[in-house]
Amino acid sequence: MLNFRGAVKIGLAGLCLMSSGMPAGADTIKAVRDRGKLLCPVAVGGFYGFSEVDDKGLWKGIDVDLCKAIATAILGPGDNVTFSPVSWAQRIPSLQSGALDILTSQTHTMKRDTQLGVQFSLPYFHAATQLLVAKDLGATGGKDLDGATICVTSGTSTGVLVSNYLRGIGVEYTSLAFEATSQAKEAFLAGRCDVFGGFGPVLATLRVRDAGDSEEFVILPDLVAGEPTSVVVRQNDKPILDVANYVISALLEAEALGITQANVEQMRASPGENPRIKVLLGVTPFIGENLKLDDGWAYNVIRDVGNYGEIYDRSLGENSPYKMDRNLNRLWTNGGMLYPIPLL
């Protein structure tokens, strides 16, 4: 057993949002068109690579670009998204109340899917829940953490997944839950807990952005649980779910076809004989009618945010501070798990 530092358990109040009374199954697309804005969440305190504030005070990241893409598909090009910082615990209640139109960065679990009145899109990101420790702790795996204090974020699946995993391997521990991921990270870095249990990319970006010297911290090899990340909508709201699914598919299809933010205009003007390009970019009418959108919606999306690979690279990959390998988030043709729904 290791000699661990002690910690004091604290509780944090949830963020309350006003309800607009939108029931499950309401027509979200109509509401978005009527107000001229899509209402999207961003993480309280930031979620590096997914929703964070840049040096100009603007939100950026994979989730931010995905919200922009969905808004562009529905409303056309322009500043069509209102971003609201919402705690993880309040995300689904805020969606149900109508304070938000969709959720991003929501991992798919059976309880959420069957008990909370929501529906999930196809995954747009794959990663595992993992465990971060200081190198000088000497732990090489989860079995070395008996007696540890572990920081997690409340309102997420992480706490349950970590608990189930450690109990399953016979490890006793103390848990500290925080409302915001940023608070859990600060507590871990301040030595209030020995382990930070979280989404793999959160741990990887913490070492780059928060830890000063990333070599001081180690992500243990234990894969606590795999978590597919999806867009979430209210139950029985099929039109907005369809738009989310096919926006994700369009971003992946564009990457597969080599269509980028830089060349999309040229590709639309001279698509050649490839029917996939013609359909995706609206040269051959099809994808608009099926979603009750303009046939140029995917062209507008790619012109505004690029393809999936471009979004990943600037948010988490080679063009970001984090330099994270795509791993499972490559296209299926490149050994990953992401693939578009055929636009047939």
Side-chain angles (χ1 to χ4, degrees), residues 51-71:
S51 57
E52 58 179 295
V53 177
D54 67 15
D55 55 7
K56 297 179 181 178
L58 302 175
W59 288 98
K60 66 176 183 176
I62 291 176
D63 291 347
V64 171
D65 282 340
L66 185 53
C67 282
K68 289 179 179 178
I70 292 171

Side-chain angles (χ1 to χ4, degrees), residues 9-219:
K9 187 172 183 179
I10 67 171
L12 295 171
L15 176 67
C16 295
L17 293 176
M18 294 180 64
S19 169
S20 65
M22 183 174 286
D27 188 345
T28 301
I29 290 181
K30 181 180 185 303
V32 170
R33 285 176 171 152
D34 287 347
R35 84 168 73 90
K37 293 281 187 178
L38 179 75
L39 307 180
C40 271
V42 284
V44 173
F47 183 18
Y48 293 149
F50 292 86
S51 57
E52 58 179 295
V53 177
D54 67 15
D55 55 7
K56 297 179 181 178
L58 302 175
W59 288 98
K60 66 176 183 176
I62 291 176
D63 291 347
V64 171
D65 282 340
L66 185 53
C67 282
K68 289 179 179 178
I70 292 171
T72 296
I74 297 170
L75 298 169
D79 181 14
N80 298 324
V81 187
T82 296
F83 292 107
S84 300
V86 182
S87 71
W88 295 103
Q90 287 299 317
R91 288 162 63 84
I92 288 179
S94 298
L95 176 69
Q96 296 290 32
S97 75
L100 297 171
D101 291 321
I102 63 172
L103 302 179
T104 48
S105 272
Q106 200 72 44
T107 53
H108 195 155
T109 69
M110 184 177 185
K111 179 179 180 180
R112 290 171 177 165
D113 200 7
T114 60
Q115 297 182 20
L116 300 183
V118 297
Q119 291 180 275
F120 290 78
S121 74
L122 74 158
Y124 67 89
F125 195 89
H126 293 274
T129 294
Q130 294 180 269
L131 305 168
L132 180 71
V133 300
K135 182 183 288 187
D136 62 13
L137 200 62
T140 60
K143 289 188 176 182
D144 298 325
L145 300 178
D146 200 46
T149 298
I150 300 177
C151 284
V152 296
T153 309
S154 62
T156 70
S157 58
T158 302
V160 176
L161 293 172
V162 169
S163 173
N164 290 345
Y165 177 74
L166 293 179
R167 288 177 181 172
I169 60 174
V171 170
E172 297 292 330
Y173 68 96
T174 300
S175 179
L176 287 181
F178 296 84
E179 183 179 25
T181 301
S182 57
Q183 294 167 331
K185 289 191 293 188
E186 289 169 5
F188 171 72
L189 293 171
R192 296 180 60 192
C193 46
D194 309 293
V195 184
F196 182 31
F199 199 44
V202 172
L203 307 185
T205 56
L206 180 155
R207 293 196 301 175
V208 175
R209 290 291 297 268
D210 297 302
D213 180 2
S214 62
E215 297 302 317
E216 294 180 1
F217 297 91
V218 177
I219 298 176

